[in-house]
Amino acid sequence: MSDMETLKQQCLQCENCGLAETRTNVVFGVGNPESPLVFVGEGPGEQEDLQGEPFVGPAGQLLDIMLEIIGLDRSKAYICNIVKCRPPKNRDPYPEEREACKLWLDRQLEILSPRIIVCLGRIAAISLIDPEFRITRQHGQWFSRNGIEYTAIYHPAALLRDAGKRPETFVDLKEIRRKLDAIASDK
Ligand code: URA
């Protein structure tokens, strides 16, 4: 069994926070573990909880289109969330839930060893980039840490609610593509 599969089997048993009591499924992550690019969302919604896969609901359909814009699909990136279990009624995960779940994401990222991490929305950005991160002002900016390039873009659910944010996200996505090409060419 691969390290990632072993980790997944452990994560599926997790009872480190109260979300374990209300979940249907743990939503661990999907995609290509060899990819240099990882997308990190907030936490599972209703469909994700039912199916055990990240981004399979309406926001996920838009995420697929966003991947397509940069010439990718789910087989060419890895996709996971800050918290692996659905917060009831899709509320924001509490800080203590994010903290309790952090060991899984930390270990996932250790195994993946990505070059680029794209935070989808504010919750991922405050967890991974800066607790004071302001998504409206700082989306599309790059932060270099330990050989990894971090950026954050609007969450696809926010783009569904407010199509006015899409042009800015298009620019951010193109920049992610450019960064990915630059990384591929300096290998
Ligand atoms: N929103 C997220 O942040 N993650 C998912 O997996 C689905 C919706």
Side-chain angles (χ1 to χ4, degrees):
M1 210 187 288
S2 68
D3 288 352
M4 192 64 99
E5 191 51 38
T6 305
L7 186 70
K8 179 176 177 177
Q9 293 312 317
Q10 293 165 348
C11 184
L12 297 185
Q13 311 296 320
C14 181
E15 295 188 348
N16 290 352
C17 82
L19 297 180
E21 285 161 33
T22 48
R23 73 178 177 226
T24 312
N25 284 296
V26 173
V27 179
F28 180 71
V30 286
N32 183 349
E34 303 297 322
S35 173
L37 178 61
V38 176
F39 289 87
V40 183
E42 175 178 326
E46 185 182 21
Q47 283 307 312
E48 291 77 19
D49 176 62
L50 291 172
Q51 298 181 43
E53 257 207 47
F55 287 98
V56 289
Q61 288 168 16
L62 184 53
L63 179 61
D64 284 334
I65 295 171
M66 291 159 73
L67 289 173
E68 220 177 291
I69 287 171
I70 52 175
L72 299 178
D73 59 38
R74 283 171 190 244
S75 70
K76 301 204 181 86
Y78 191 86
I79 302 168
C80 60
N81 283 304
I82 294 290
V83 296
K84 311 302 189 206
C85 298
R86 183 191 183 199
K89 300 188 185 145
N90 297 349
R91 63 161 168 75
D92 286 353
Y94 297 141
E96 59 269 27
E97 292 162 348
R98 303 202 312 259
E99 195 48 43
C101 212
K102 194 167 176 296
L103 83 163
W104 300 117
L105 181 61
D106 284 350
R107 183 78 186 105
Q108 261 174 323
L109 293 176
E110 216 176 283
I111 294 170
L112 292 164
S113 181
R115 300 290 303 277
I116 299 175
I117 296 179
V118 178
C119 299
L120 296 170
R122 187 185 74 91
I123 295 288
I126 63 170
S127 303
L128 294 179
I129 301 176
D130 175 355
E132 305 292 321
F133 196 91
R134 304 290 300 270
I135 191 81
T136 41
R137 276 198 232 138
Q138 293 180 285
H139 68 84
Q141 291 181 17
W142 291 88
F143 303 82
S144 231
R145 308 239 174 93
N146 306 320
I148 303 176
E149 300 288 323
Y150 291 80
T151 191
I153 62 176
Y154 283 117
H155 192 288
L159 300 173
L160 287 175
R161 285 192 300 269
D162 180 2
K165 293 189 166 83
R166 292 187 189 189
E168 295 166 81
T169 305
F170 188 78
V171 172
D172 295 346
L173 287 168
K174 291 290 174 190
E175 197 50 34
I176 293 166
R177 178 73 244 183
R178 204 192 58 72
K179 204 62 134 184
L180 198 56
D181 291 342
I183 280 168
S185 68
D186 72 22
K187 260 196 200 142

